[in-house]
Amino acid sequence: MELEKKEVSGREKDEASIKLLRKLREQLYSSDASDRRRAAYKLSWMQEDGLEILKDTLFGSCPIPSRNAAAYGLRKMRGRMKKVALEILGQGLKHRDNSTRGICRNALQMLGQKVPKIPKMAAPKKPPVSHLAIRELPDKNRPGRRVVNRRTRR
């Protein structure tokens, strides 16, 4: 007896993909490095949905290992999303967070892209140090107080 193949409706397909995306997002924040990488790789095959999750992870306030995994997923993007992933990594070079900039820089270098050098921020110039002698000021509360040297006191 043969079972009929059931057509999957659009709503069931959406629910299944939402569950899968939620599961992969949780794995992206996992403490196990191989789970994070596998999740990022699977997200790289999911076109727009995966790209959005990887982008949010890279630019969000996430742990650095999760951001590294997101950059790995962006590096592994294929097809029409490859160019968009490279643009996202390029945007990461201008991000305000130092770790995100470093992660994006390394990811672009691994892809063989030319990465411009990051100019170091100029520290504000400090005023020159004067070498004046330090003097003791008399205490205003006790006028006339004398400091007695013990050796000359005899």
Side-chain angles (χ1 to χ4, degrees):
M1 179 175 179
E2 256 181 52
L3 294 175
E4 294 177 25
K5 291 186 178 179
K6 184 181 175 189
E7 291 284 328
V8 179
S9 68
R11 184 175 177 181
E12 291 172 349
K13 201 182 284 185
D14 288 342
E15 289 175 9
S17 65
I18 288 172
K19 285 181 184 177
L20 178 62
L21 288 171
R22 190 175 298 137
K23 178 184 162 197
L24 290 174
R25 183 179 212 141
E26 288 173 9
Q27 286 179 349
L28 199 57
Y29 292 93
S30 171
S31 60
D32 186 20
S34 61
D35 283 346
R36 286 191 304 264
R37 281 197 137 203
R38 258 185 262 133
Y41 184 75
K42 288 178 183 176
L43 285 168
S44 73
W45 283 93
M46 300 188 108
Q47 302 295 315
E48 288 92 2
D49 296 330
L51 182 79
E52 191 65 33
I53 291 173
L54 292 172
K55 181 180 176 184
D56 290 343
T57 304
L58 184 65
F59 294 134
S61 59
C62 308
I64 291 175
S66 295
R67 288 189 222 168
N68 278 324
Y72 173 77
L74 289 170
R75 282 190 348 241
K76 295 299 176 182
M77 284 282 181
R78 298 287 177 237
R80 63 188 177 97
M81 302 307 287
K82 180 75 172 178
K83 187 182 266 187
V84 179
L86 287 174
E87 289 174 7
I88 290 173
L89 288 172
Q91 290 172 4
L93 294 175
K94 299 170 188 151
H95 198 262
R96 62 182 167 10
D97 187 21
N98 285 338
S99 61
T100 303
R101 280 195 306 254
I103 289 168
C104 291
R105 181 180 183 81
N106 290 340
L108 287 171
Q109 285 176 343
M110 286 182 178
L111 289 171
Q113 300 286 321
K114 297 242 178 181
V115 182
K117 287 189 176 182
I118 300 172
K120 291 186 178 178
M121 295 292 205
K125 293 196 175 190
K126 295 179 183 175
V129 178
S130 63
H131 297 287
L132 297 175
I134 298 174
R135 298 181 296 159
E136 294 238 357
L137 298 175
D139 192 10
K140 292 183 179 181
N141 294 338
R142 296 186 205 174
R145 180 176 169 232
R146 265 186 354 183
V147 177
V148 178
N149 191 348
R150 290 183 186 181
R151 291 185 181 180
T152 59
R153 199 164 135 194
R154 293 182 194 186

